[in-house]
Amino acid sequence: MSPTHALPTQKGNPLSPFSWLKQASFNILCMGLVVGFIHSGIKNLSKGEKVLYYFLALFIWRYLRFCINIIGFWTYKAAPMPKSNANYYPGRDVTIVIPTVDPLGVDFHECLTSCARNGPRKIIIVTAGEDLYEKTLGAVAPVMDEFPLVNFLVTRTKIANKRQQVAHVIRYINTPITVLVDDHVFWNSHDLLKSMLAPFEDSQVGIVGTNKRVRRLEGLSVWRRFWNMLGCLYLDRHNFEIRATNAIDGGVFVISGRTVGIRTCILEDKQFQAGYLHEMFFFGLLGPLHPDDDNYIARYMVKNGWKIKIQYTKDAEIETTVGVGEPVHTKFLGQCRRWVRTTWRSNTTSLFTEGTVWATQPYCVYAVYLTSFTNFALFTDAALVYFFTQSSWYTDAAEPKYALAALLSWIIFTKTVKVFRYFSTYPQDIWLFPAYVLFAYFHSFIKLWALFTFWDHAWSGRNLAALTKGEKNDDGKELSPQGIYCDDDISDLDIGPSESPVPLKPMAPRGPQSSTIVKA
């Protein structure tokens, strides 16, 4: 960053052990009082009828967060873009990092182009192995010609591992904000970076998430259309949850790595890097983890006192592809298993290993973490219907069938709220809604299987090990609009605050030299 550009103090606010104990104890006490109040109310309503008590308790446990989340969703406010005197500008303060193992894929060019249109200072593309490196250079070159004011750096690691790829390029970043982007993500707005930078005007905000959508493709067969729809609904449900909880107590269950802005000083922190590269789970007995990187980053922010902000605006909307890879059902179901295993691992870590959320995110403790352990739609909905039909509210009703219909209507209604945006935008897919509900119930078995196989942390969908078999090199080449050649042999550097040379020069570890490719 420019030496004349003074940034606000950037520092998290982690809790001391005593502060954590005091705040967590207070929150747990408040939770206990709320539970006691609800218990007393249910007891009075049920009048000693156990089955009615069970119905009411399960109903409130399942749907209290639904009602509160609706309030949170509609009271949410995005960070406004500063009208003047902003601390951060894309062309000066942002580096985009895109890890990829598919530079020739149909999505990569559109992803890279949409990022470049936002005018960042630098875009780093990090791949793995010599073969992919050469392919990536060829894929990036035409985009470099189209955007001569953006600096491009292409580098690679020895193996295909997203965590190692991101960690490898930290040494090349010399801007205060880093934006991590998956290689199959598309930015629809030219002002996405401006919108993402707005929350960073608060010096305690460490990470910013985006408004995510899955691209709905036209001209698909009914079979492929169904899976594409499931992918769209998956992210729509996530959007609803994270917007609501972030508005209530600042928490989220995860900040998606599809597009996320992070203060570079956090990435440079040795403590962050150690955990990021060597994250273990199940009491340190299993690991290191390769997936779950975005969950680790989110938990690190919470643990170290950084604020999390979801920038849910039209400008901050990104698109991605889910539910279209071949074979479509196998790949999507594999992704579902991986995502749910991540939930089991990360949520238990947040609650029982790290525990910071008990002090800082009391609502999320209930609405995100604890309820995730019981959120088996098939079993809970069946239990609700069973308890209700065995209770006096059903047997003593003047028209029991209408009472049951009211309960079933409520259950279906709650399944439409989070996905209303999709079906209102694409009403031609409404006839697939019953299939979505059936899949939601089937997902209970996926979640149960994921619990029994939580130890499996393979990155399903790609054979990453085969991509870089036998590769050794990990140097980098920079594509610079200034067209200046650089052949410096720079020894190993600590990953820390870097200088800001202009034109940008690559910093490589000891070994093979880096060079700048002159723009043709």
Short mmCIF file of all heavy atoms in Angstrom, two decimals, residues 300-362:
data_model
loop_
_atom_site.label_atom_id
_atom_site.label_comp_id
_atom_site.label_asym_id
_atom_site.label_seq_id
_atom_site.Cartn_x
_atom_site.Cartn_y
_atom_site.Cartn_z
N TYR A 300 -11.97 -18.25 13.42
CA TYR A 300 -10.80 -17.46 13.83
C TYR A 300 -11.22 -16.02 14.10
O TYR A 300 -10.74 -15.39 15.05
CB TYR A 300 -9.73 -17.51 12.74
CG TYR A 300 -8.47 -16.77 13.10
CD1 TYR A 300 -7.44 -17.40 13.80
CD2 TYR A 300 -8.31 -15.42 12.76
CE1 TYR A 300 -6.28 -16.71 14.14
CE2 TYR A 300 -7.16 -14.73 13.11
CZ TYR A 300 -6.15 -15.38 13.78
OH TYR A 300 -5.01 -14.68 14.14
N MET A 301 -12.09 -15.47 13.25
CA MET A 301 -12.56 -14.10 13.46
C MET A 301 -13.28 -13.98 14.80
O MET A 301 -13.05 -13.02 15.56
CB MET A 301 -13.50 -13.69 12.33
CG MET A 301 -12.88 -13.71 10.95
SD MET A 301 -11.53 -12.51 10.77
CE MET A 301 -10.82 -13.05 9.21
N VAL A 302 -14.15 -14.93 15.08
CA VAL A 302 -14.91 -14.89 16.34
C VAL A 302 -13.96 -15.01 17.53
O VAL A 302 -14.05 -14.23 18.49
CB VAL A 302 -15.95 -16.02 16.36
CG1 VAL A 302 -16.65 -16.08 17.72
CG2 VAL A 302 -16.98 -15.83 15.24
N LYS A 303 -13.06 -15.96 17.46
CA LYS A 303 -12.14 -16.22 18.58
C LYS A 303 -11.24 -15.02 18.85
O LYS A 303 -10.89 -14.76 20.02
CB LYS A 303 -11.30 -17.46 18.26
CG LYS A 303 -10.37 -17.89 19.38
CD LYS A 303 -9.63 -19.16 18.99
CE LYS A 303 -8.67 -19.61 20.09
NZ LYS A 303 -7.94 -20.83 19.69
N ASN A 304 -10.86 -14.29 17.81
CA ASN A 304 -9.91 -13.20 17.97
C ASN A 304 -10.56 -11.81 17.98
O ASN A 304 -9.88 -10.80 17.86
CB ASN A 304 -8.85 -13.27 16.87
CG ASN A 304 -7.89 -14.42 17.08
OD1 ASN A 304 -6.90 -14.30 17.78
ND2 ASN A 304 -8.21 -15.57 16.49
N GLY A 305 -11.86 -11.78 18.17
CA GLY A 305 -12.55 -10.53 18.42
C GLY A 305 -12.76 -9.63 17.23
O GLY A 305 -12.97 -8.43 17.39
N TRP A 306 -12.73 -10.18 16.02
CA TRP A 306 -13.03 -9.40 14.83
C TRP A 306 -14.52 -9.45 14.53
O TRP A 306 -15.16 -10.50 14.68
CB TRP A 306 -12.28 -9.93 13.61
CG TRP A 306 -10.80 -9.69 13.65
CD1 TRP A 306 -9.84 -10.58 14.04
CD2 TRP A 306 -10.11 -8.50 13.26
NE1 TRP A 306 -8.59 -10.02 13.92
CE2 TRP A 306 -8.73 -8.74 13.45
CE3 TRP A 306 -10.52 -7.27 12.78
CZ2 TRP A 306 -7.76 -7.79 13.17
CZ3 TRP A 306 -9.55 -6.31 12.50
CH2 TRP A 306 -8.19 -6.57 12.69
N LYS A 307 -15.08 -8.35 14.09
CA LYS A 307 -16.48 -8.33 13.68
C LYS A 307 -16.63 -8.98 12.31
O LYS A 307 -15.74 -8.90 11.46
CB LYS A 307 -17.01 -6.90 13.61
CG LYS A 307 -17.17 -6.21 14.95
CD LYS A 307 -17.74 -4.81 14.75
CE LYS A 307 -17.88 -4.06 16.04
NZ LYS A 307 -18.41 -2.68 15.83
N ILE A 308 -17.78 -9.61 12.12
CA ILE A 308 -18.14 -10.23 10.85
C ILE A 308 -19.31 -9.44 10.26
O ILE A 308 -20.26 -9.12 10.96
CB ILE A 308 -18.55 -11.71 11.05
CG1 ILE A 308 -17.37 -12.53 11.56
CG2 ILE A 308 -19.12 -12.29 9.77
CD1 ILE A 308 -17.74 -13.92 12.00
N LYS A 309 -19.22 -9.13 8.97
CA LYS A 309 -20.31 -8.39 8.33
C LYS A 309 -20.71 -9.06 7.02
O LYS A 309 -19.85 -9.36 6.18
CB LYS A 309 -19.90 -6.94 8.05
CG LYS A 309 -20.99 -6.10 7.39
CD LYS A 309 -22.22 -5.99 8.26
CE LYS A 309 -23.30 -5.14 7.59
NZ LYS A 309 -24.55 -5.08 8.40
N ILE A 310 -22.00 -9.31 6.89
CA ILE A 310 -22.55 -9.79 5.62
C ILE A 310 -23.05 -8.58 4.85
O ILE A 310 -23.89 -7.82 5.34
CB ILE A 310 -23.71 -10.78 5.86
CG1 ILE A 310 -23.21 -12.01 6.63
CG2 ILE A 310 -24.33 -11.19 4.53
CD1 ILE A 310 -22.14 -12.80 5.91
N GLN A 311 -22.51 -8.37 3.66
CA GLN A 311 -22.92 -7.23 2.82
C GLN A 311 -23.96 -7.74 1.83
O GLN A 311 -23.65 -8.16 0.71
CB GLN A 311 -21.71 -6.62 2.12
CG GLN A 311 -21.98 -5.31 1.43
CD GLN A 311 -22.27 -4.16 2.39
OE1 GLN A 311 -22.59 -4.37 3.55
NE2 GLN A 311 -22.15 -2.93 1.92
N TYR A 312 -25.21 -7.73 2.28
CA TYR A 312 -26.31 -8.28 1.49
C TYR A 312 -26.91 -7.16 0.64
O TYR A 312 -27.93 -6.57 0.98
CB TYR A 312 -27.36 -8.87 2.44
CG TYR A 312 -28.39 -9.76 1.79
CD1 TYR A 312 -28.32 -11.14 1.88
CD2 TYR A 312 -29.47 -9.22 1.09
CE1 TYR A 312 -29.27 -11.95 1.31
CE2 TYR A 312 -30.42 -10.01 0.50
CZ TYR A 312 -30.32 -11.39 0.63
OH TYR A 312 -31.29 -12.20 0.04
N THR A 313 -26.26 -6.85 -0.45
CA THR A 313 -26.73 -5.82 -1.38
C THR A 313 -26.72 -6.37 -2.80
O THR A 313 -26.08 -7.40 -3.08
CB THR A 313 -25.83 -4.57 -1.32
OG1 THR A 313 -24.54 -4.90 -1.85
CG2 THR A 313 -25.69 -4.04 0.10
N LYS A 314 -27.40 -5.66 -3.68
CA LYS A 314 -27.41 -6.08 -5.09
C LYS A 314 -26.01 -5.95 -5.69
O LYS A 314 -25.59 -6.80 -6.49
CB LYS A 314 -28.41 -5.23 -5.88
CG LYS A 314 -28.65 -5.72 -7.30
CD LYS A 314 -29.27 -7.11 -7.31
CE LYS A 314 -29.54 -7.59 -8.73
NZ LYS A 314 -30.08 -8.97 -8.76
N ASP A 315 -25.28 -4.90 -5.33
CA ASP A 315 -23.93 -4.73 -5.85
C ASP A 315 -23.00 -5.83 -5.37
O ASP A 315 -22.05 -6.19 -6.08
CB ASP A 315 -23.37 -3.36 -5.44
CG ASP A 315 -23.89 -2.23 -6.32
OD1 ASP A 315 -24.21 -2.50 -7.49
OD2 ASP A 315 -23.98 -1.09 -5.82
N ALA A 316 -23.24 -6.34 -4.16
CA ALA A 316 -22.37 -7.37 -3.60
C ALA A 316 -22.87 -8.77 -3.92
O ALA A 316 -22.49 -9.74 -3.25
CB ALA A 316 -22.25 -7.19 -2.09
N GLU A 317 -23.70 -8.90 -4.92
CA GLU A 317 -24.24 -10.22 -5.29
C GLU A 317 -23.28 -10.95 -6.22
O GLU A 317 -22.79 -10.39 -7.20
CB GLU A 317 -25.59 -10.05 -5.96
CG GLU A 317 -26.23 -11.38 -6.37
CD GLU A 317 -27.59 -11.19 -7.01
OE1 GLU A 317 -28.54 -10.85 -6.28
OE2 GLU A 317 -27.69 -11.35 -8.25
N ILE A 318 -23.01 -12.19 -5.89
CA ILE A 318 -22.18 -13.04 -6.75
C ILE A 318 -23.02 -14.22 -7.22
O ILE A 318 -23.99 -14.61 -6.58
CB ILE A 318 -20.91 -13.52 -6.01
CG1 ILE A 318 -21.26 -14.39 -4.81
CG2 ILE A 318 -20.06 -12.34 -5.59
CD1 ILE A 318 -20.95 -15.83 -4.91
N GLU A 319 -22.62 -14.76 -8.35
CA GLU A 319 -23.26 -15.98 -8.87
C GLU A 319 -22.22 -17.09 -8.91
O GLU A 319 -21.03 -16.84 -9.08
CB GLU A 319 -23.81 -15.75 -10.28
CG GLU A 319 -25.17 -15.11 -10.32
CD GLU A 319 -25.77 -15.16 -11.72
OE1 GLU A 319 -25.02 -15.06 -12.71
OE2 GLU A 319 -26.99 -15.29 -11.81
N THR A 320 -22.72 -18.31 -8.77
CA THR A 320 -21.83 -19.46 -8.87
C THR A 320 -22.61 -20.60 -9.50
O THR A 320 -23.81 -20.48 -9.79
CB THR A 320 -21.29 -19.87 -7.49
OG1 THR A 320 -20.31 -20.90 -7.65
CG2 THR A 320 -22.40 -20.36 -6.57
N THR A 321 -21.96 -21.72 -9.71
CA THR A 321 -22.61 -22.89 -10.29
C THR A 321 -22.62 -24.01 -9.26
O THR A 321 -21.58 -24.36 -8.70
CB THR A 321 -21.87 -23.37 -11.55
OG1 THR A 321 -20.47 -23.56 -11.25
CG2 THR A 321 -22.01 -22.35 -12.66
N VAL A 322 -23.80 -24.54 -9.00
CA VAL A 322 -23.97 -25.69 -8.12
C VAL A 322 -25.07 -26.55 -8.74
O VAL A 322 -26.07 -26.03 -9.24
CB VAL A 322 -24.39 -25.28 -6.68
CG1 VAL A 322 -24.66 -26.51 -5.83
CG2 VAL A 322 -23.32 -24.42 -6.03
N GLY A 323 -24.88 -27.85 -8.71
CA GLY A 323 -25.91 -28.74 -9.23
C GLY A 323 -25.92 -28.88 -10.73
O GLY A 323 -26.94 -29.24 -11.31
N VAL A 324 -24.76 -28.62 -11.37
CA VAL A 324 -24.71 -28.76 -12.83
C VAL A 324 -23.53 -29.62 -13.27
O VAL A 324 -23.40 -29.94 -14.44
CB VAL A 324 -24.63 -27.38 -13.52
CG1 VAL A 324 -25.92 -26.62 -13.30
CG2 VAL A 324 -23.43 -26.58 -13.05
N GLY A 325 -22.64 -29.99 -12.36
CA GLY A 325 -21.48 -30.80 -12.72
C GLY A 325 -21.88 -32.23 -13.04
O GLY A 325 -22.87 -32.75 -12.55
N GLU A 326 -21.10 -32.87 -13.89
CA GLU A 326 -21.39 -34.24 -14.29
C GLU A 326 -20.55 -35.23 -13.48
O GLU A 326 -19.38 -34.96 -13.21
CB GLU A 326 -21.09 -34.43 -15.79
CG GLU A 326 -22.04 -33.68 -16.70
CD GLU A 326 -23.44 -34.27 -16.75
OE1 GLU A 326 -23.66 -35.33 -16.10
OE2 GLU A 326 -24.29 -33.69 -17.40
N PRO A 327 -21.14 -36.39 -13.11
CA PRO A 327 -22.56 -36.73 -13.18
C PRO A 327 -23.34 -35.93 -12.14
O PRO A 327 -22.96 -35.91 -10.97
CB PRO A 327 -22.60 -38.23 -12.89
CG PRO A 327 -21.36 -38.48 -12.09
CD PRO A 327 -20.34 -37.50 -12.55
N VAL A 328 -24.41 -35.29 -12.54
CA VAL A 328 -25.02 -34.23 -11.76
C VAL A 328 -25.48 -34.69 -10.39
O VAL A 328 -25.21 -34.04 -9.37
CB VAL A 328 -26.17 -33.58 -12.57
CG1 VAL A 328 -27.26 -34.58 -12.91
CG2 VAL A 328 -26.74 -32.41 -11.81
N HIS A 329 -26.16 -35.82 -10.30
CA HIS A 329 -26.68 -36.26 -9.00
C HIS A 329 -25.56 -36.74 -8.09
O HIS A 329 -25.55 -36.47 -6.89
CB HIS A 329 -27.74 -37.35 -9.18
CG HIS A 329 -27.23 -38.59 -9.84
ND1 HIS A 329 -26.93 -38.64 -11.18
CD2 HIS A 329 -26.96 -39.82 -9.33
CE1 HIS A 329 -26.50 -39.86 -11.48
NE2 HIS A 329 -26.50 -40.59 -10.38
N THR A 330 -24.59 -37.44 -8.67
CA THR A 330 -23.49 -37.96 -7.86
C THR A 330 -22.66 -36.81 -7.28
O THR A 330 -22.30 -36.82 -6.09
CB THR A 330 -22.59 -38.87 -8.71
OG1 THR A 330 -23.37 -39.94 -9.24
CG2 THR A 330 -21.45 -39.44 -7.88
N LYS A 331 -22.37 -35.81 -8.11
CA LYS A 331 -21.54 -34.71 -7.64
C LYS A 331 -22.28 -33.88 -6.59
O LYS A 331 -21.71 -33.50 -5.57
CB LYS A 331 -21.13 -33.83 -8.81
CG LYS A 331 -20.16 -32.72 -8.39
CD LYS A 331 -19.46 -32.10 -9.57
CE LYS A 331 -18.42 -31.08 -9.12
NZ LYS A 331 -17.64 -30.52 -10.23
N PHE A 332 -23.56 -33.59 -6.83
CA PHE A 332 -24.30 -32.77 -5.88
C PHE A 332 -24.46 -33.48 -4.54
O PHE A 332 -24.29 -32.87 -3.48
CB PHE A 332 -25.67 -32.39 -6.44
CG PHE A 332 -26.44 -31.47 -5.55
CD1 PHE A 332 -26.15 -30.11 -5.51
CD2 PHE A 332 -27.46 -31.94 -4.73
CE1 PHE A 332 -26.85 -29.24 -4.68
CE2 PHE A 332 -28.17 -31.09 -3.90
CZ PHE A 332 -27.86 -29.75 -3.88
N LEU A 333 -24.77 -34.75 -4.57
CA LEU A 333 -24.93 -35.50 -3.32
C LEU A 333 -23.59 -35.61 -2.59
O LEU A 333 -23.54 -35.56 -1.35
CB LEU A 333 -25.49 -36.90 -3.61
CG LEU A 333 -26.94 -36.93 -4.10
CD1 LEU A 333 -27.36 -38.35 -4.45
CD2 LEU A 333 -27.88 -36.36 -3.04
N GLY A 334 -22.49 -35.73 -3.36
CA GLY A 334 -21.17 -35.73 -2.73
C GLY A 334 -20.87 -34.41 -2.05
O GLY A 334 -20.30 -34.36 -0.95
N GLN A 335 -21.27 -33.30 -2.70
CA GLN A 335 -21.09 -31.99 -2.09
C GLN A 335 -21.93 -31.87 -0.82
O GLN A 335 -21.47 -31.33 0.19
CB GLN A 335 -21.47 -30.89 -3.08
CG GLN A 335 -20.48 -30.71 -4.22
CD GLN A 335 -20.98 -29.70 -5.25
OE1 GLN A 335 -22.12 -29.76 -5.69
NE2 GLN A 335 -20.13 -28.77 -5.62
N CYS A 336 -23.17 -32.38 -0.86
CA CYS A 336 -24.03 -32.34 0.33
C CYS A 336 -23.39 -33.08 1.49
O CYS A 336 -23.40 -32.59 2.63
CB CYS A 336 -25.40 -32.93 0.01
SG CYS A 336 -26.45 -31.90 -1.03
N ARG A 337 -22.84 -34.24 1.23
CA ARG A 337 -22.19 -35.00 2.31
C ARG A 337 -21.01 -34.21 2.87
O ARG A 337 -20.80 -34.16 4.09
CB ARG A 337 -21.74 -36.37 1.80
CG ARG A 337 -22.87 -37.33 1.52
CD ARG A 337 -22.36 -38.74 1.30
NE ARG A 337 -21.50 -38.83 0.12
CZ ARG A 337 -21.96 -39.10 -1.11
NH1 ARG A 337 -23.26 -39.25 -1.31
NH2 ARG A 337 -21.13 -39.19 -2.13
N ARG A 338 -20.21 -33.61 2.00
CA ARG A 338 -19.04 -32.84 2.46
C ARG A 338 -19.49 -31.64 3.28
O ARG A 338 -18.93 -31.35 4.34
CB ARG A 338 -18.20 -32.39 1.27
CG ARG A 338 -17.06 -31.46 1.64
CD ARG A 338 -16.05 -31.34 0.50
NE ARG A 338 -16.62 -30.78 -0.70
CZ ARG A 338 -16.75 -29.47 -0.94
NH1 ARG A 338 -16.38 -28.59 -0.02
NH2 ARG A 338 -17.26 -29.04 -2.08
N TRP A 339 -20.51 -30.93 2.79
CA TRP A 339 -20.98 -29.75 3.52
C TRP A 339 -21.51 -30.12 4.91
O TRP A 339 -21.26 -29.41 5.87
CB TRP A 339 -22.09 -29.06 2.71
CG TRP A 339 -21.61 -28.45 1.44
CD1 TRP A 339 -20.36 -27.95 1.17
CD2 TRP A 339 -22.37 -28.27 0.23
NE1 TRP A 339 -20.29 -27.47 -0.12
CE2 TRP A 339 -21.50 -27.65 -0.72
CE3 TRP A 339 -23.68 -28.56 -0.14
CZ2 TRP A 339 -21.93 -27.32 -2.01
CZ3 TRP A 339 -24.10 -28.24 -1.42
CH2 TRP A 339 -23.24 -27.62 -2.35
N VAL A 340 -22.25 -31.23 4.99
CA VAL A 340 -22.84 -31.60 6.29
C VAL A 340 -21.77 -32.10 7.24
O VAL A 340 -21.81 -31.83 8.44
CB VAL A 340 -23.96 -32.64 6.09
CG1 VAL A 340 -24.55 -33.04 7.44
CG2 VAL A 340 -25.05 -32.09 5.20
N ARG A 341 -20.79 -32.85 6.72
CA ARG A 341 -19.67 -33.26 7.59
C ARG A 341 -18.96 -32.03 8.15
O ARG A 341 -18.55 -32.01 9.31
CB ARG A 341 -18.69 -34.13 6.81
CG ARG A 341 -19.21 -35.52 6.47
CD ARG A 341 -18.15 -36.35 5.76
NE ARG A 341 -18.66 -37.64 5.37
CZ ARG A 341 -18.69 -38.10 4.11
NH1 ARG A 341 -18.21 -37.33 3.13
NH2 ARG A 341 -19.17 -39.28 3.84
N THR A 342 -18.79 -31.03 7.30
CA THR A 342 -18.19 -29.78 7.77
C THR A 342 -19.01 -29.17 8.91
O THR A 342 -18.45 -28.70 9.90
CB THR A 342 -18.10 -28.77 6.60
OG1 THR A 342 -17.15 -29.25 5.64
CG2 THR A 342 -17.65 -27.40 7.09
N THR A 343 -20.34 -29.18 8.77
CA THR A 343 -21.20 -28.63 9.81
C THR A 343 -21.01 -29.37 11.13
O THR A 343 -20.89 -28.74 12.19
CB THR A 343 -22.67 -28.71 9.38
OG1 THR A 343 -22.85 -27.93 8.19
CG2 THR A 343 -23.59 -28.18 10.46
N TRP A 344 -20.98 -30.70 11.08
CA TRP A 344 -20.78 -31.47 12.31
C TRP A 344 -19.44 -31.12 12.95
O TRP A 344 -19.35 -30.91 14.16
CB TRP A 344 -20.84 -32.97 12.02
CG TRP A 344 -22.21 -33.52 11.80
CD1 TRP A 344 -22.71 -34.05 10.64
CD2 TRP A 344 -23.27 -33.61 12.75
NE1 TRP A 344 -24.00 -34.46 10.81
CE2 TRP A 344 -24.36 -34.21 12.11
CE3 TRP A 344 -23.39 -33.25 14.10
CZ2 TRP A 344 -25.58 -34.46 12.76
CZ3 TRP A 344 -24.60 -33.50 14.75
CH2 TRP A 344 -25.67 -34.08 14.08
N ARG A 345 -18.40 -31.04 12.15
CA ARG A 345 -17.07 -30.79 12.71
C ARG A 345 -16.95 -29.36 13.23
O ARG A 345 -16.48 -29.13 14.35
CB ARG A 345 -16.00 -31.02 11.63
CG ARG A 345 -15.78 -32.47 11.25
CD ARG A 345 -14.54 -32.64 10.37
NE ARG A 345 -14.69 -32.00 9.08
CZ ARG A 345 -14.99 -32.63 7.94
NH1 ARG A 345 -15.20 -33.94 7.95
NH2 ARG A 345 -15.06 -31.98 6.80
N SER A 346 -17.39 -28.39 12.43
CA SER A 346 -17.17 -27.00 12.79
C SER A 346 -18.06 -26.54 13.94
O SER A 346 -17.61 -25.81 14.84
CB SER A 346 -17.40 -26.10 11.57
OG SER A 346 -17.07 -24.75 11.85
N ASN A 347 -19.32 -26.95 13.94
CA ASN A 347 -20.23 -26.51 15.00
C ASN A 347 -19.85 -27.06 16.36
O ASN A 347 -19.96 -26.38 17.38
CB ASN A 347 -21.67 -26.89 14.66
CG ASN A 347 -22.25 -26.00 13.56
OD1 ASN A 347 -21.56 -25.15 13.01
ND2 ASN A 347 -23.52 -26.18 13.24
N THR A 348 -19.40 -28.32 16.39
CA THR A 348 -18.95 -28.87 17.67
C THR A 348 -17.68 -28.16 18.14
O THR A 348 -17.51 -27.94 19.35
CB THR A 348 -18.70 -30.38 17.55
OG1 THR A 348 -17.82 -30.63 16.43
CG2 THR A 348 -19.99 -31.14 17.35
N THR A 349 -16.82 -27.80 17.20
CA THR A 349 -15.61 -27.05 17.57
C THR A 349 -15.98 -25.68 18.15
O THR A 349 -15.42 -25.26 19.17
CB THR A 349 -14.69 -26.87 16.35
OG1 THR A 349 -14.28 -28.14 15.87
CG2 THR A 349 -13.46 -26.06 16.72
N SER A 350 -16.92 -24.99 17.50
CA SER A 350 -17.33 -23.67 17.98
C SER A 350 -17.90 -23.74 19.39
O SER A 350 -17.62 -22.88 20.24
CB SER A 350 -18.38 -23.06 17.03
OG SER A 350 -17.81 -22.77 15.78
N LEU A 351 -18.70 -24.77 19.67
CA LEU A 351 -19.37 -24.87 20.95
C LEU A 351 -18.50 -25.42 22.06
O LEU A 351 -18.47 -24.89 23.18
CB LEU A 351 -20.63 -25.74 20.82
CG LEU A 351 -21.86 -25.12 20.19
CD1 LEU A 351 -22.97 -26.16 20.08
CD2 LEU A 351 -22.35 -23.93 20.98
N PHE A 352 -17.77 -26.49 21.76
CA PHE A 352 -17.15 -27.26 22.83
C PHE A 352 -15.63 -27.18 22.89
O PHE A 352 -15.05 -27.45 23.93
CB PHE A 352 -17.58 -28.73 22.72
CG PHE A 352 -19.07 -28.90 22.65
CD1 PHE A 352 -19.67 -29.54 21.57
CD2 PHE A 352 -19.88 -28.40 23.65
CE1 PHE A 352 -21.04 -29.69 21.51
CE2 PHE A 352 -21.27 -28.55 23.59
CZ PHE A 352 -21.85 -29.20 22.52
N THR A 353 -14.98 -26.83 21.78
CA THR A 353 -13.52 -26.74 21.79
C THR A 353 -13.08 -25.29 21.99
O THR A 353 -12.26 -25.00 22.88
CB THR A 353 -12.93 -27.28 20.48
OG1 THR A 353 -13.36 -28.63 20.29
CG2 THR A 353 -11.41 -27.25 20.53
N GLU A 354 -13.61 -24.38 21.19
CA GLU A 354 -13.23 -22.97 21.30
C GLU A 354 -14.15 -22.22 22.26
O GLU A 354 -13.67 -21.52 23.15
CB GLU A 354 -13.23 -22.33 19.91
CG GLU A 354 -12.18 -22.95 19.00
CD GLU A 354 -12.25 -22.42 17.57
OE1 GLU A 354 -13.21 -21.68 17.25
OE2 GLU A 354 -11.37 -22.76 16.77
N GLY A 355 -15.44 -22.34 22.08
CA GLY A 355 -16.39 -21.83 23.05
C GLY A 355 -16.62 -20.34 23.07
O GLY A 355 -17.42 -19.84 23.87
N THR A 356 -15.96 -19.58 22.20
CA THR A 356 -16.11 -18.12 22.22
C THR A 356 -17.54 -17.69 21.96
O THR A 356 -18.01 -16.67 22.50
CB THR A 356 -15.19 -17.47 21.17
OG1 THR A 356 -13.86 -17.98 21.33
CG2 THR A 356 -15.15 -15.96 21.33
N VAL A 357 -18.27 -18.46 21.16
CA VAL A 357 -19.64 -18.07 20.80
C VAL A 357 -20.56 -17.97 22.01
O VAL A 357 -21.54 -17.22 21.98
CB VAL A 357 -20.23 -19.04 19.76
CG1 VAL A 357 -19.49 -18.92 18.43
CG2 VAL A 357 -20.19 -20.48 20.27
N TRP A 358 -20.28 -18.72 23.07
CA TRP A 358 -21.12 -18.64 24.27
C TRP A 358 -21.10 -17.22 24.85
O TRP A 358 -22.08 -16.78 25.45
CB TRP A 358 -20.64 -19.63 25.32
CG TRP A 358 -20.86 -21.07 24.96
CD1 TRP A 358 -19.95 -21.92 24.41
CD2 TRP A 358 -22.06 -21.82 25.13
NE1 TRP A 358 -20.51 -23.15 24.21
CE2 TRP A 358 -21.80 -23.13 24.65
CE3 TRP A 358 -23.33 -21.53 25.63
CZ2 TRP A 358 -22.77 -24.14 24.66
CZ3 TRP A 358 -24.29 -22.54 25.65
CH2 TRP A 358 -24.01 -23.82 25.17
N ALA A 359 -19.99 -16.51 24.67
CA ALA A 359 -19.87 -15.16 25.21
C ALA A 359 -20.25 -14.09 24.22
O ALA A 359 -20.74 -13.02 24.61
CB ALA A 359 -18.43 -14.93 25.69
N THR A 360 -20.03 -14.33 22.93
CA THR A 360 -20.19 -13.26 21.93
C THR A 360 -21.41 -13.41 21.04
O THR A 360 -21.88 -12.42 20.48
CB THR A 360 -18.94 -13.19 21.03
OG1 THR A 360 -18.78 -14.46 20.36
CG2 THR A 360 -17.69 -12.90 21.86
N GLN A 361 -21.95 -14.63 20.88
CA GLN A 361 -23.07 -14.85 19.97
C GLN A 361 -24.13 -15.73 20.63
O GLN A 361 -24.38 -16.86 20.21
CB GLN A 361 -22.57 -15.49 18.67
CG GLN A 361 -21.58 -14.65 17.91
CD GLN A 361 -21.01 -15.36 16.70
OE1 GLN A 361 -21.41 -16.48 16.35
NE2 GLN A 361 -20.04 -14.75 16.04
N PRO A 362 -24.78 -15.24 21.67
CA PRO A 362 -25.74 -16.09 22.40
C PRO A 362 -26.92 -16.54 21.55
O PRO A 362 -27.40 -17.68 21.73
CB PRO A 362 -26.20 -15.18 23.55
CG PRO A 362 -25.91 -13.78 23.09
CD PRO A 362 -24.67 -13.89 22.25
#
